[in-house]
Each structure stands twice: as structure tokens, then as C-alpha cells.
Amino acid sequence: MTPPRTQQIPVVVLAGFLGSGKTTLLNHLLHNRAGTRIGVIVNDFGSIEIDAMTVAGQVGSTVSLGNGCLCCAVDASELDTFLETLTRPSARLDVIVIEASGLAEPQELVRMLLASENPHIRYGGLVEVVDAAEFDGVRERHPELDRHLAVADLVVLNKTDRVGEAERERLRAVVAELSRPAAVIPAAYGRIDPELLFDPALRPDGEEKIRQLTFEDLLREEAGEEGCDGHGDHDGHLHAAYESVDFTSDVPLDPRRFIAFLDSRPEGLYRIKGFADFGAGDRDNRYALHAVGRFLRFVPQPWARDEQRLTQLVLIGSGIDAEALREGLAACRAEPGPDAPDAERAMWGVLRYVQQEPDPEDVPAEV
């Protein structure tokens, strides 16, 4: 099992019908990026407002946002060209977010990403933004919304502040049924924890201490007590809305049990990240795990010389039973002295999610 030869940048597709709040959510990510350098590809035409800066929506334009982030306005047919630009080492980006047109077919963008031969990217999941206040009307006018939800990896039920509690619960149940098994996150003003989508970048100490004042810094300084989105306490501490569960084991995991655990993860568990040790299943590599909603991916990485072999995972969700999750993970530990050939056969379930998962053929065609 050969690990990837190059560093790969996750590419997240942000979709949703006009008015659902995609750009608001994108602005929120840029305001709260915690040093992460984000490349933004806007698959749309016209004037697009990002971070209070007007980006001329000419196909082929690339604009620096002044904080290590970049924005491109592109036609979907030229997506590969701009991905090539944004993945150059000189761009030094950590994640790329594609904001799809409000009238786009998101599964087509997903197909393009999965079929891309660019070795520097990996598919990071499809996030569908839904307007809670207008959901029924939008669904009536655009029945294709059901199809979009069916292929989403994560759904943000936005503008929940505009509906009552009973209506919010009804909408969440409807959306969850349409998007199952994707996770559904309620939100207002597009404010979700960026760590649900990507990890904050770790920078060398010198780079963080000696740097120019960024656009993000200016936003925070200007906003003061209100918070950078200008919504005061509503922006709050995003982590307070979610729970985090840590799990560490010096005993390798049984691949079959761990895949069964992942396949049955409960509603409300939005993200899983970390590293898994499968012991005799693959003694050469640890497996970096990235799961957002229904999207799941493993990346084999060689163990460093003298590195302690541990499984270290972080699970993020809302309304989750932390103790039950820890017990479930503990039950995934391998039995002492497993037979090596059998352990290697058990790795098949993990290998389904290495590199090529999900396969483009798994993305439903337009109907």
C-alpha cells in the first residue's frame, strides 16, 4: 500500500440555491479561518461580494483577498485550469472552497473533482446550504433540491433564527430524511465551526510572529466586541454549540470493527479526524482519517522512525453520547495476537475509502 507522494489540498464544494446563504457562510469561514489559507473558486457570473470586497465576476479573474486567501471567478469548464493555479506551491493554500452557482448541479462539480487528474487535490466533501425560512417554497419551485440533498456529505440548515422551534424540528427531520446519512447542522447567518470542514493550519512559529497585518486582523480589530461578522453575541463561541470527544489507544484497531463503527455513526456526529493504527493489517502505515457527514476517506502515511504507534481520534458533533462513542471505539480494538494474513484481508473495508472513494460512478446522474 503506497501512500500519496505529494501533499494534497482538500477541495470542498459549497452548494445551495440562490438566497440560501452560501456567500454568508463563505465569508464566515474567511473571517474565522484561524490562519488557514483558503482558496475560493466562485462558479458564477456577475458581481460577487466576498469579505466586503467586490470581485469582478469575469471568467478568468483571480483576486487576492489580502490575507493569504485567493478568489477566482470561473466557468465550470475551466475548473481544472484554476485548480492547477491554486495548487501551485507558491500559492501556499491549505484548503480550497468552490462556491457553486445557485443554479448549478453540484453533483457535476463533484464528478469533475473526482475525475480530476490533478495530484495535488483531494475531494473534501459536498456541503449543501438550505434556507430554513424558504425551504418548502424552494423545494416546490426546484424539485431537484431533493437530488442535491441526496448527494450531500453535510447539510447546513441555515436561517434557523427565522423559524420557530417546532418548525425548525420539522424541517430538520425532513432534510435529514432526504439527505440520509449526511449530517444536518442547524445554523444562523451561516455560522458553523470551520473545523467541521477543515483543520486549522499549523504555521512555523516564526511565520506567525513575523507577518503582515491580514484582512482578518483588520476585521477583528474593527468589529471589536461585536465579533467579525457584526452580529455581536450571536457569533459567540462556536465550539460551545458542539461537543468534542477524544480517543487514544495504544492497541491497534480491528479494521472490520472500525469500519462497522464508522458505518453506523449516529446522527449529530458531524466530523471525525485523526489517525488510526491497524497493526498487522498494515505495519508500514498509519491511516489519516477524514470524515465529514457521510464523506469518509483514509490516507495511508508511513510511520516515522521510532514514532509511538497510537490511534488518536477526535469526534465532533452535537447531542452526541460521548461515553457511548468512547465505548464503541474501545470495542474496535483488535484482539491480542491477530493472524497477520487475516488482518490484511480485514483491511479491504478500509481500502475502499483510500484515495478513490467515493467513486465518480457513485454520484447519481442528473434525472
Side-chain angles (χ1 to χ4, degrees):
M1 287 169 272
T2 304
R5 297 181 179 179
T6 59
Q7 182 68 31
Q8 293 182 309
I9 300 174
V11 181
V12 177
V13 177
L14 184 61
F17 282 93
L18 296 169
S20 61
K22 297 188 306 299
T23 301
T24 301
L25 191 153
L26 178 57
N27 285 339
H28 169 74
L29 294 178
L30 290 168
H31 290 157
N32 298 275
R33 62 192 182 88
T36 301
R37 294 191 173 99
I38 303 175
V40 178
I41 295 180
V42 182
N43 169 222
D44 210 343
F45 297 93
S47 181
I48 300 157
E49 185 178 338
I50 293 181
D51 285 323
M53 302 174 68
T54 299
V55 178
Q58 301 297 317
V59 174
S61 65
T62 300
V63 178
S64 172
L65 297 182
N67 60 356
C69 300
L70 297 173
C71 180
C72 302
V74 307
D75 188 314
S77 64
E78 297 187 35
L79 182 60
D80 272 335
T81 300
F82 280 85
L83 285 173
E84 183 64 34
T85 298
L86 293 178
T87 55
R88 290 173 182 168
S90 58
R92 302 170 66 213
L93 296 177
D94 303 301
V95 63
I96 296 172
V97 178
I98 300 177
E99 182 186 358
S101 161
L103 300 177
E105 285 293 340
Q107 60 264 47
E108 294 308 313
L109 287 173
V110 172
R111 284 179 185 275
M112 292 176 69
L113 290 173
L114 294 174
S116 175
E117 297 181 357
N118 187 329
H120 303 291
I121 67 168
R122 60 179 174 82
Y123 175 57
L126 168 61
V127 180
E128 182 78 15
V129 184
V130 173
D131 183 341
E134 302 293 337
F135 175 75
D136 292 327
V138 170
R139 191 181 180 198
E140 183 177 349
R141 294 191 303 272
H142 300 283
E144 62 269 29
L145 175 59
D146 288 11
R147 181 173 67 249
H148 295 182
L149 289 170
V151 299
D153 299 298
L154 192 74
V155 179
V156 176
L157 183 60
N158 198 27
K159 304 185 183 181
T160 53
D161 57 308
R162 295 177 55 190
V163 299
E165 183 177 353
E167 176 67 358
R168 183 164 57 248
E169 290 305 312
R170 181 190 73 83
L171 290 169
R172 184 168 183 171
V174 172
V175 171
E177 182 62 31
L178 293 171
S179 61
R180 196 174 303 279
V184 179
I185 302 175
Y189 300 100
R191 292 190 300 272
I192 65 171
D193 192 332
E195 287 195 45
L196 294 175
L197 305 183
F198 51 80
D199 292 328
L202 299 177
R203 302 288 176 200
D205 290 342
E207 184 175 340
E208 285 300 307
K209 293 176 181 176
I210 305 175
R211 62 181 177 87
Q212 292 182 324
L213 189 68
T214 69
F215 185 58
E216 181 184 20
D217 296 327
L218 294 174
L219 282 168
R220 293 189 183 282
E221 181 177 317
E222 179 181 351
E225 293 299 322
E226 287 191 19
C228 59
D229 276 350
H231 295 298
D233 291 338
H234 294 292
D235 200 31
H237 296 283
L238 289 168
H239 290 285
Y242 308 105
E243 301 168 65
S244 177
V245 178
D246 298 328
F247 176 79
T248 300
S249 174
D250 57 1
V251 177
L253 300 185
D254 179 282
R256 290 194 183 100
R257 294 178 189 171
F258 189 47
I259 289 296
F261 171 86
L262 294 174
D263 286 343
S264 61
R265 53 192 186 272
E267 181 180 346
L269 182 55
Y270 303 141
R271 187 169 184 216
I272 307 175
K273 58 182 180 178
F275 301 92
D277 172 22
F278 291 115
D282 185 352
R283 297 191 183 281
D284 296 327
N285 297 299
R286 65 178 186 174
Y287 282 73
L289 167 62
H290 174 71
V292 174
R294 65 192 287 169
F295 176 68
L296 172 64
R297 185 172 185 271
F298 286 99
V299 179
Q301 300 176 350
W303 289 104
R305 185 187 297 268
D306 299 325
E307 179 179 3
Q308 184 179 9
R309 302 201 171 196
L310 296 172
T311 290
Q312 296 177 302
L313 301 171
V314 177
L315 298 83
I316 303 172
S318 177
I320 54 178
D321 186 334
E323 190 58 35
L325 288 173
R326 289 193 182 96
E327 290 177 359
L329 287 168
C332 294
R333 294 186 177 116
E335 299 294 335
D339 178 65
D342 182 69
E344 291 178 1
R345 285 194 296 271
M347 285 294 292
W348 180 85
V350 172
L351 297 181
R352 289 174 50 216
Y353 296 101
V354 171
Q355 291 298 321
Q356 299 303 321
E357 286 294 323
D359 191 275
E361 294 302 319
D362 292 336
V363 180
E366 183 175 352
V367 295

